[in-house]
Amino acid sequence: MRARRVVLHAAGALMVATLCLGAYGLVAPQSAGLPSSADGTNADAVLSDADVRRALRDYGMGTYCDVDRVMRDSYVIPGLKMTRTLDADGNLSTCTTMTPQGVCVAGRCLLVSAYCHDRVHDSVIYRIGLKSHRLEGVIVLDGTPHVGGLAYDAEHDRVWMCGYREGKNGGATVSSLKASAWEYYDASRADGPCAVEHTYYIPTLAHASFLTVKGDRLYVGDFSDTRSSRTTIQAFDIEKGGTLRQADRDETMADLQKVRSDGYLESVEGLEPEDDTVDVRNTRVMKHVVKDAARSHGDMPVPVDGALINGQAQGMALVRDLCLLSQSYGLRDSRLRVMAWDGGAWNNDLRNARAWATFILPPMMEETEVSGGRLYLCFESGAEAYRWQDCARVDRVLVLRLKDVVGG
């Protein structure tokens, strides 16, 4: 028996969740159903509705939301039994070890990214009808990137995704896909993987683990596998054409050093410095960014804001004056932390102790998304690599009403 708890740190009147106890046994996956007729990728669930519903209730979800509603609104993650993709030689092939990672709402679609756990097949993005919940297609990406994060820029109709540049000067990258490239992509008719519009190397981040778009900024988060470690989220300006603003090393350093020498940055655009400012000269985020930028070469996206976070972060969502951070690693329980957010100040402290609410959820929760008053939570525990692990498993993108988590 394991105790499942929802931990709430009060900052005002907050709801108090009760302790729930539940037992977990090793549940065998359902037998394989018919694949999608679209492209040979299965669209049925690995786990039964009853198994997932039981896991959610055992983790206390019924204390703050309607579990039956969550089950109705959630999306089965396709392709966990078999996914039609490309192999290293560019031939159509079937992968049985796709592992879900990122999630975002893009217009009329829900997009879920996945990588081949065996690293022999190209990574993919599943295109699911937002209203129909049906698999509409599989977007094949070039190579085997982890694709830990997806985000949609509605103003410029671009999908952003995380990546990594291999080699001696390797590091974090983000790439954009135009709607014309991914919306109707069909691997069986295409000449190869979906075309990427732009890829940007970000020397101020070691890894690009997750990302989100808010306003005219792309926020990208780093990753460390130690929960108590410190790392950062950094923001980059999206220009009118949908590209990231770049500058060479000297210009980037000049911008950052100006902030440090001035000592203050407007925390809300348009306010005069004396109205609402924060001293940022010695924040850990600024020191980290300046150090990495100084060691870089060539053009780079220019960081314009940052936040300090602890390790094992897998996703973030910004809504009103709040930031929601998902954390998970291995078979440990996942955590969804709710933090105060004051964007634009270079001093946001989003470390674990700053959370005013922490929800304990089943293991292996990946990226999060907020759209249309709903909170989307993606899990990887239904993948073949983890299917027989002795833990609660979820093969869905769970959908919760945002107000059930943050109120309002």
Side-chain angles (χ1 to χ4, degrees), residues 32-150:
L34 292 175
S36 162
S37 60
D39 61 4
T41 297
N42 81 282
D44 58 323
V46 169
L47 303 170
S48 70
D49 287 354
D51 291 337
V52 177
R53 184 181 287 107
R54 184 183 307 112
L56 301 185
R57 286 178 172 158
D58 287 345
Y59 269 81
M61 187 172 285
T63 63
Y64 55 89
C65 66
D66 182 343
V67 173
D68 289 332
R69 180 196 293 271
V70 171
M71 292 298 298
R72 289 194 304 270
D73 291 344
S74 295
Y75 296 77
V76 170
I77 299 176
L80 299 184
K81 298 174 184 176
M82 54 183 174
T83 293
R84 194 69 164 164
T85 180
L86 299 176
D87 60 21
D89 296 323
N91 300 314
L92 284 171
S93 182
T94 297
C95 177
T96 59
T97 64
M98 282 297 177
T99 306
Q101 294 295 299
V103 62
C104 75
V105 173
R108 63 177 187 82
C109 297
L110 180 74
L111 303 181
V112 178
S113 63
Y115 73 97
C116 171
H117 193 272
D118 293 337
R119 302 289 183 172
V120 296
H121 297 98
D122 285 356
S123 302
V124 300
I125 299 175
Y126 301 110
R127 189 175 65 241
I128 305 167
L130 192 62
K131 292 184 177 180
S132 69
H133 287 228
R134 294 178 62 87
L135 174 65
E136 295 184 354
V138 178
I139 305 159
V140 179
L141 304 174
D142 188 17
T144 60
H146 197 73
V147 205
L150 295 175

Side-chain angles (χ1 to χ4, degrees), residues 324-400:
L324 281 65
L325 278 177
S326 61
Q327 276 183 313
S328 73
Y329 189 71
L331 299 181
R332 300 171 183 170
D333 292 342
S334 301
R335 284 163 170 75
L336 179 69
R337 302 187 190 273
V338 184
M339 317 269 195
W341 174 259
D342 181 21
W346 268 115
N347 77 326
N348 287 289
D349 189 343
L350 303 180
R351 287 176 295 173
N352 299 343
R354 300 285 180 165
W356 61 258
T358 299
F359 297 85
I360 308 301
L361 294 165
M364 304 187 211
M365 178 170 64
E366 297 297 309
E367 200 179 28
T368 64
E369 164 78 319
V370 168
S371 178
R374 293 184 170 192
L375 172 64
Y376 298 77
L377 306 174
C378 184
F379 289 78
E380 68 175 354
S381 51
E384 192 274 340
Y386 310 117
R387 204 169 296 160
W388 296 99
Q389 297 285 354
D390 187 12
C391 68
R393 288 171 301 282
V394 178
D395 62 344
R396 317 289 163 99
V397 174
L398 298 181
V399 182
L400 286 67

Side-chain angles (χ1 to χ4, degrees), residues 3-252:
R4 301 303 176 207
R5 55 199 173 93
V6 176
V7 184
L8 296 178
H9 302 292
L14 296 173
M15 57 187 163
V16 179
T18 59
L19 291 173
C20 293
L21 299 177
Y24 300 110
L26 193 60
V27 181
Q30 291 179 291
S31 59
L34 292 175
S36 162
S37 60
D39 61 4
T41 297
N42 81 282
D44 58 323
V46 169
L47 303 170
S48 70
D49 287 354
D51 291 337
V52 177
R53 184 181 287 107
R54 184 183 307 112
L56 301 185
R57 286 178 172 158
D58 287 345
Y59 269 81
M61 187 172 285
T63 63
Y64 55 89
C65 66
D66 182 343
V67 173
D68 289 332
R69 180 196 293 271
V70 171
M71 292 298 298
R72 289 194 304 270
D73 291 344
S74 295
Y75 296 77
V76 170
I77 299 176
L80 299 184
K81 298 174 184 176
M82 54 183 174
T83 293
R84 194 69 164 164
T85 180
L86 299 176
D87 60 21
D89 296 323
N91 300 314
L92 284 171
S93 182
T94 297
C95 177
T96 59
T97 64
M98 282 297 177
T99 306
Q101 294 295 299
V103 62
C104 75
V105 173
R108 63 177 187 82
C109 297
L110 180 74
L111 303 181
V112 178
S113 63
Y115 73 97
C116 171
H117 193 272
D118 293 337
R119 302 289 183 172
V120 296
H121 297 98
D122 285 356
S123 302
V124 300
I125 299 175
Y126 301 110
R127 189 175 65 241
I128 305 167
L130 192 62
K131 292 184 177 180
S132 69
H133 287 228
R134 294 178 62 87
L135 174 65
E136 295 184 354
V138 178
I139 305 159
V140 179
L141 304 174
D142 188 17
T144 60
H146 197 73
V147 205
L150 295 175
Y152 179 60
D153 175 9
E155 182 177 351
H156 302 102
D157 205 10
R158 300 288 196 280
V159 169
W160 289 92
M161 60 184 185
C162 293
Y164 187 81
R165 188 171 79 178
E166 303 289 347
K168 180 180 179 181
N169 296 316
T173 66
V174 294
S175 300
S176 61
L177 301 173
K178 295 175 65 174
S180 57
W182 65 262
E183 197 165 9
Y184 300 103
Y185 174 89
D186 183 346
S188 63
R189 297 173 183 169
D191 294 331
C194 183
V196 170
E197 181 187 26
H198 296 291
T199 294
Y200 301 88
Y201 170 54
I202 304 180
T204 53
L205 285 169
H207 305 88
S209 176
F210 55 89
L211 37 72
T212 192
V213 172
K214 184 174 178 61
D216 58 357
R217 286 183 174 176
L218 177 70
Y219 293 84
V220 187
D222 207 338
F223 178 82
S224 168
D225 59 12
T226 304
R227 182 178 293 172
S228 60
S229 63
R230 293 170 179 169
T231 183
T232 64
I233 296 169
Q234 295 173 28
F236 306 90
D237 282 337
I238 301 175
E239 298 186 308
K240 291 183 178 180
T243 58
L244 294 187
R245 183 173 78 87
Q246 295 192 97
D248 61 26
R249 173 188 174 279
D250 291 342
E251 185 179 348
T252 300

